[in-house]
Amino acid sequence: MTSQPAGPVNTSAARPPSRPEPSSASGRTVTHKVLSLLTTFEEPKRSFTLTQLAESAEIPLSTAHRLTSELVDWGFLTRTAQGRYQLGLRIWEMGQNVGHQLRETAQPFIQDLYSFTGETSQLAIRDGREVLYIDRVYGTERVPRASRVGGRLPMHSTAVGKVLLAFDEAWVREAYLQRPMKQVAPRTVTNPGVLSRQLEAISEEGYAATVEEQRLGACSIAVPVFHTGRIGAALGLVVASEKASTLTRHLPALRGISQRLEQATAHIPLETLLETQFGIHGRR
């Protein structure tokens, strides 16, 4: 990834939609300010200047200096020789302690899917209005990457997201369709009526497919993973766009591994599976 020149951060992009508003209009707690600083690093950009962090978190430069200094002391941030800030190893170490049940259970199945297809294989769940990727095995062919394990993408532009929407409760779909949808690529579907009809077809056919709706050069296919009769996750593949016409040939493998994954997680309560993975739910 090429480095980006120092300069002001676009705060509307640097601050993810999951950042909650302050609990009162009178002020923000120290915790809120610290979390606002840390969530800046959810952006693909790896490092930020102090000024960029302050602008993203919407706090005074002096406050940002004090808080980042403490975060560096605790190992949550590190300061480079150029004076930029990036996440520290302690964040990574703590992240290894969450989400073990679902991710560790799923890993052999994701690897199995890759073995059968040779394509980038992934498992995702819904986190509010976004898709959260919890495991992925990359294929050998170069395909434009839009996310990573622990990353989030819009639901309406991904096959896994559309599957999760199609098989979730009706109120989830209706609520999603009522909000504006971002045009992330030229072929992204943002019309609520069109998306609603797509979701109906997906629920009938049992799978979703997208072609260059998230990234040019990439297409995807996904099936639901149920848990005691409820949608729990989505299992999918990402392949090069020139293979779009052959996506459905992977359905037997996708469906077979989805059933095996459902059986493997049936003994774990769904709430336990989802709440432990990356600390989700309750973020919005």
Side-chain angles (χ1 to χ4, degrees):
M1 180 179 296
T2 58
S3 60
Q4 300 183 23
V9 171
N10 183 335
T11 56
S12 62
R15 186 171 64 253
S18 58
R19 181 180 296 179
E21 293 300 320
S23 56
S24 67
S26 60
R28 300 161 66 192
T29 65
V30 174
T31 301
H32 189 283
K33 295 173 183 177
V34 170
L35 293 176
S36 295
L37 284 170
L38 290 176
T39 52
T40 300
F41 291 92
E42 290 183 339
E43 285 296 298
K45 188 175 181 180
R46 300 299 184 185
S47 65
F48 298 88
T49 66
L50 182 63
T51 299
Q52 290 172 334
L53 288 173
E55 290 178 351
S56 174
E58 298 179 351
I59 58 178
L61 191 62
S62 58
T63 302
H65 181 269
R66 175 173 57 83
L67 295 178
T68 52
S69 295
E70 292 185 34
L71 288 169
V72 169
D73 289 342
W74 279 84
F76 292 111
L77 295 180
T78 60
R79 192 166 184 267
T80 68
Q82 294 73 35
R84 301 176 70 88
Y85 293 87
Q86 58 191 25
L87 289 178
L89 282 178
R90 193 167 185 182
I91 290 281
W92 179 84
E93 291 168 349
M94 292 176 64
Q96 304 310 298
N97 295 323
V98 298
H100 284 306
Q101 279 188 303
L102 182 53
R103 191 175 182 195
E104 288 187 358
T105 302
Q107 278 180 338
F109 298 98
I110 308 303
Q111 184 64 51
D112 213 14
L113 179 60
Y114 167 75
S115 298
F116 278 113
T117 65
E119 305 289 357
T120 296
S121 306
Q122 57 193 16
L123 186 72
I125 56 179
R126 180 177 70 85
D127 184 10
R129 289 177 52 84
E130 297 171 309
V131 167
L132 172 62
Y133 291 91
I134 63 171
D135 201 16
R136 174 177 286 178
V137 176
Y138 290 101
T140 55
E141 186 174 0
R142 286 186 64 86
V143 178
R145 296 182 183 181
S147 189
R148 64 192 187 285
V149 173
R152 293 173 171 80
L153 288 177
M155 299 188 73
H156 62 278
S157 60
T158 58
V160 287
K162 291 184 179 184
V163 159
L164 291 168
L165 276 176
F167 289 94
D168 212 327
E169 298 176 77
W171 71 265
V172 175
R173 293 191 298 276
E174 293 168 2
Y176 192 93
L177 292 170
Q178 289 175 7
R179 296 280 298 277
M181 290 176 277
K182 183 179 180 181
Q183 184 89 35
V184 295
R187 302 185 66 171
T188 306
V189 175
T190 59
N191 183 290
V194 174
L195 182 58
S196 179
R197 291 190 292 274
Q198 285 187 351
L199 296 179
E200 290 179 7
I202 291 167
S203 64
E204 293 176 1
E205 297 170 357
Y207 74 94
T210 64
V211 178
E212 298 187 333
E213 292 190 39
Q214 178 62 41
R215 279 287 180 89
L216 294 177
C219 57
S220 59
I221 186 169
V223 299
V225 179
F226 293 104
H227 188 284
T228 59
R230 300 160 58 190
I231 182 69
L235 182 69
L237 296 172
V238 178
V239 307
S241 294
E242 54 264 28
K243 297 181 180 179
S245 62
T246 64
L247 277 175
T248 54
R249 72 186 180 93
H250 296 302
L251 281 174
L254 282 163
R255 286 171 170 158
I257 292 175
S258 171
Q259 292 172 1
R260 290 174 56 199
L261 186 54
E262 178 182 356
Q263 295 168 358
T265 57
H267 67 287
I268 308 173
L270 181 60
E271 289 73 15
T272 301
L273 281 173
L274 300 186
E275 288 176 1
T276 58
Q277 181 62 43
F278 296 101
I280 73 160
H281 294 298
R283 288 172 54 94
R284 289 167 174 75

